Amino acid sequence: NKDTFSWEEYLKETSSSPAPPSCFRQSRIPPSNDFKMGMKLEAHDPRNSTSVCIATVMGLMGTRLRLRLDGSDNTNDFWRLVDSADIQPIGTCEKNGDMLQPPLGFRMNASSWPMFLLRTLSGAEMAPATAFKKEPSKPPQNGFKSNMKLEAVDKKNPYLICPATIGEVRGDEIFVMFDGWRGAFDYWCKYDSRDIFPVGWCSLTKHGLQPPGNSVTLPKSLQTPPPPPSSSLSPAKPTRRSMQSPYRPSAPLPPLPVRKGVRGR
Ligand code: MLZ
């Protein structure tokens, strides 16, 4: 079937190999997703990670949850794995002697937070403790090598997981290049990022996998090398580069079949 992406064919087509599963901070056997729509839980505010907020499950995809902080608007949804250390059952914060915080950008007056919290939690369906899975430990070292293939979250479109290639390795960081998108979505991240997965993860967890983009492939000699990792002070920013290829075939390849669909953004 020409319209469905197959890693097996693609790896052959690009004469490349997948990064070994042991390189990733992911369970070898993906955890089950036992959450349900509408369930409430505690989550660290992605925009203010020291504060713990109430979140509602707005969607489920594979082993990931689409979350919205209660009291925030609908434009700041974020995704977390069911075995993320960023989420916990309701009551955890209080048990630790902490207080639940309004999200950054709480849409009401701060003085209405205690009452809002009370109302939010009364009668709410709380995600059971058994749905939260233990976060896997970090692999002991960065085992990635350039040109290895993987599946990675597109940070600009975080509902998407896409085929990607390791572009460069520097210390604890890796450069993730999205196949067929000319660098527009590439980023540096730590080797133990929870946003990267071994080849086959999406298929195993029944998460959609976006097929590679259809941008042209340039020979390595014409490609711009990736920029160095950003300093540890600022979060890794995706960097736009004009011309580069997501993969380096051993010989020039015919162009990939053009897939219809929306591009850019
Ligand atoms: N903005 C595009 C999505 C591009 C995703 C690329 N992923 C590497 C769209 O709206 O379809």
Side-chain angles (χ1 to χ4, degrees):
N1 187 344
K2 283 218 284 324
D3 293 330
T4 51
F5 174 74
S6 147
W7 266 118
E8 193 182 312
E9 284 167 34
Y10 187 65
L11 291 172
K12 269 190 214 141
E13 201 179 329
T14 56
S15 32
S16 53
S17 344
S22 58
C23 294
F24 297 85
R25 187 176 196 172
Q26 303 293 350
S27 289
R28 291 302 298 274
I29 300 151
S32 59
N33 191 338
D34 304 329
F35 289 83
K36 291 194 170 52
M37 287 286 265
M39 281 180 168
K40 295 203 188 287
L41 49 96
E42 294 181 1
H44 285 262
D45 186 340
R47 296 190 288 175
N48 183 190
S49 58
T50 54
S51 83
V52 179
C53 304
I54 296 293
T56 302
V57 176
M58 302 305 289
L60 304 102
M61 247 206 290
T63 57
R64 297 201 301 159
L65 306 169
R66 178 182 173 161
L67 299 175
R68 184 173 303 166
L69 298 182
D70 286 76
S72 111
D73 55 61
N74 58 2
T75 63
N76 290 293
D77 288 0
F78 57 101
W79 293 83
R80 288 293 176 268
L81 290 162
V82 299
D83 58 0
S84 164
D86 288 346
I87 57 170
Q88 58 203 32
I90 285 181
T92 311
C93 195
E94 198 185 275
K95 212 172 63 193
N96 297 339
D98 284 338
M99 265 172 29
L100 287 166
Q101 301 295 323
L104 214 72
F106 181 50
R107 49 185 167 69
M108 278 166 272
N109 194 302
S111 63
S112 55
W113 171 246
M115 190 52 73
F116 177 88
L117 186 59
L118 209 66
R119 289 194 154 158
T120 300
L121 292 178
S122 79
E125 184 178 7
M126 296 184 285
T130 50
F132 298 83
K133 306 291 153 70
K134 192 177 136 51
E135 187 163 70
S137 53
K138 296 181 183 196
Q141 74 266 307
N142 188 351
F144 290 104
K145 300 274 175 287
S146 284
N147 299 320
M148 286 176 169
K149 296 286 186 194
L150 66 157
E151 298 179 2
V153 172
D154 172 353
K155 293 199 199 232
K156 291 186 180 172
N157 304 280
Y159 51 92
L160 295 175
I161 298 183
C162 318
T165 305
I166 302 293
E168 201 183 318
V169 180
R170 278 200 198 181
D172 276 358
E173 307 239 8
I174 54 170
F175 191 64
V176 175
M177 299 166 78
F178 288 90
D179 287 26
W181 293 94
R182 298 182 180 230
F185 301 93
D186 300 355
Y187 56 79
W188 285 97
C189 67
K190 293 268 188 281
Y191 77 91
D192 60 351
S193 163
R194 301 303 321 277
D195 284 340
I196 54 170
F197 306 91
V199 162
W201 179 270
C202 283
S203 141
L204 218 54
T205 61
K206 300 184 174 65
H207 190 293
L209 179 66
Q210 198 200 33
N214 51 33
S215 77
V216 287
T217 301
L218 290 176
K220 191 79 177 175
S221 57
L222 292 175
Q223 291 174 30
T224 318
S230 55
S231 87
S232 53
L233 291 171
S234 57
K237 255 204 231 109
T239 312
R240 179 174 287 278
R241 278 168 298 137
S242 52
M243 287 175 135
Q244 49 120 56
S245 166
Y247 58 87
R248 181 171 53 149
S250 48
L253 288 167
L256 287 168
V258 174
R259 292 181 182 82
K260 291 205 193 83
V262 269
R263 284 286 315 266
R265 243 208 308 165

